[in-house]
Amino acid sequence: MVTLIVATAMDPASIGPASALLAMPGWHPGPTIQGIPSFVNGEVRLMKHENSIIREDYLDKRWEEGTGEVVDEVIFLSRHTAVSNRPALTVHPIGVPHLRDDEVPPAGGKPGWAAPPNPRIGPWLRILKKIAESHNLTPEFEITLEATHHGPLVHAPTMFLEIGSTEEYWKRQDAAQAIAQLVWEGLGLGGGGDVGNWKRNNDRKIVLLGLGGGHYVPRHMDIVLKEGVWVGHLLSGYTLPMEDPKQSKGAKSTDGIGGTWRQAIKVSFEATNSAFPGGEIIAHLDHKSFKSWQKNAIMGFLAEQNIKVGKPDDFC
């Protein structure tokens, strides 16, 4: 079982951290898979391609077919863009579970799909915050989760590590070094134990499934920043599209409420469940981000699906 790191030479926020990581001890050239060179360090593999990071699908299976090695998890290095242009270091799961079959995903993936979220997301967010502080990147850089979004298609538990949000920051060497250090420490490449390994977790088995809020999911992140919290998919309001033609504020039934919100919740729950075997997946709602009829509908659907709903203290 190996960890696969993916970088692209066409993105400075991807190749920068990859180069910083490859400058650390222990790396040597690995096999070339379908024209893509790789590097090896212990049980870690790094592929460096020259395409868009969200367009090279199923690299985990392509690695397995080319080498016979089973990929346990995938970590993508990428740039982040934002309307605010604010500098940021971000961590997030991937998928477009809310899209209808007739919609074309604007940034990879396929409609109604979500990759299993990498269990390291929560623990690594907390390490990243400490590393960023030690590199004096904060408060200039915001350290944050992002909601589930974009591709590429992949089978193994996956996360994106991103530097944002403009070319000036994508090229920042101190930011690249911080991401490289996160991967180095998080995977235990320096000789210490790795961080966020669910298989070695014998303590808390509760996993947060975030529903609602904006793209940077602040209410969910407040919880995830606390020690010991595990996190799966994070569905912002825009990935829970709800259409209520009756605008029936007091309705208890969800029958008349259109949109793909049910699909998004179900797909994300199942993907999270697959990534955390033996875990208890509990939904956490950003209550203030929903109108009353939306919250009633979501709570009703969660009950139908036997998905528990938790308060902040339930996850810590």
Side-chain angles (χ1 to χ4, degrees):
M1 301 287 273
V2 300
T3 294
L4 181 63
I5 301 168
V6 180
T8 173
M10 69 179 293
D11 176 2
S14 180
I15 200 63
S19 298
L21 184 62
L22 291 171
M24 296 175 178
W27 293 96
H28 57 85
T32 297
I33 306 297
Q34 298 174 0
I36 302 173
S38 73
F39 302 86
V40 172
N41 191 338
E43 300 303 310
V44 179
R45 312 290 181 257
L46 190 152
M47 296 180 78
K48 186 167 65 174
H49 63 72
E50 297 187 4
N51 197 1
S52 165
I53 199 79
I54 58 173
R55 300 298 177 188
E56 286 284 356
D57 291 330
Y58 299 124
L59 283 171
D60 53 342
K61 290 303 176 189
R62 289 156 66 183
W63 181 271
E64 291 175 11
E65 290 167 2
T67 66
E69 296 179 332
V70 176
V71 175
D72 193 42
E73 62 180 331
V74 186
I75 299 165
F76 290 90
L77 307 177
S78 177
R79 68 187 179 194
H80 170 67
T81 58
V83 174
S84 69
N85 290 335
R86 181 173 178 183
L89 304 178
T90 80
V91 187
H92 71 85
I94 65 170
V96 283
H98 63 298
L99 293 186
R100 299 186 309 270
D101 288 342
D102 61 349
E103 292 183 280
V104 177
K110 65 181 179 181
W113 162 86
N118 193 318
R120 299 189 195 272
I121 290 172
W124 279 30
L125 174 73
R126 297 189 288 271
I127 298 178
L128 179 58
K129 194 168 186 293
K130 293 174 184 174
I131 291 172
E133 290 167 355
S134 71
H135 283 246
N136 295 317
L137 288 171
T138 55
E140 181 186 14
F141 280 78
E142 182 179 9
I143 313 304
T144 184
L145 290 170
E146 289 184 79
T148 298
H149 65 304
H150 68 61
L153 293 168
V154 66
H155 292 294
T158 295
M159 67 174 161
F160 262 64
L161 304 177
E162 300 186 358
I163 300 172
S165 298
T166 64
E167 188 167 3
E168 174 190 352
Y169 297 104
W170 299 336
K171 294 180 176 180
R172 281 273 290 265
Q173 282 304 302
D174 50 356
Q177 288 289 342
I179 295 294
Q181 186 179 338
L182 171 64
V183 175
W184 180 262
E185 291 183 11
L187 294 178
L189 287 171
D194 63 335
V195 178
N197 188 327
W198 175 257
K199 295 173 184 174
R200 290 210 305 270
N201 168 44
N202 296 311
D203 192 11
R204 295 190 65 80
K205 295 293 185 181
I206 294 174
V207 181
L208 184 150
L209 173 69
L211 303 178
H215 183 72
Y216 298 100
V217 295
R219 297 290 77 77
H220 308 310
M221 194 173 78
D222 287 345
I223 299 171
V224 178
L225 283 172
K226 296 178 180 177
E227 205 59 43
V229 176
W230 300 90
V231 62
H233 276 293
L234 297 160
L235 299 183
S236 64
Y238 66 81
T239 48
L240 292 167
M242 305 178 78
E243 302 159 3
D244 181 10
K246 300 173 185 177
Q247 290 295 306
S248 47
K249 296 181 180 178
K252 297 286 186 183
S253 171
T254 67
D255 293 344
I257 299 175
T260 55
W261 58 280
R262 297 178 189 83
Q263 166 187 301
I265 292 173
K266 195 168 187 295
V267 166
S268 299
F269 174 82
E270 291 171 352
T272 300
N273 203 38
S274 72
F276 292 88
E280 183 179 11
I281 316 303
I282 298 181
H284 176 258
L285 275 64
D286 183 341
H287 289 279
K288 292 183 178 179
S289 71
F290 295 112
K291 296 176 181 177
S292 60
W293 64 268
Q294 293 175 316
K295 185 163 67 173
N296 290 339
I298 289 171
M299 294 291 283
F301 181 71
L302 293 173
E304 290 171 14
Q305 298 293 309
N306 295 313
I307 300 173
K308 292 182 180 179
V309 177
K311 298 177 180 177
D313 290 346
D314 295 330
F315 300 95
C316 305

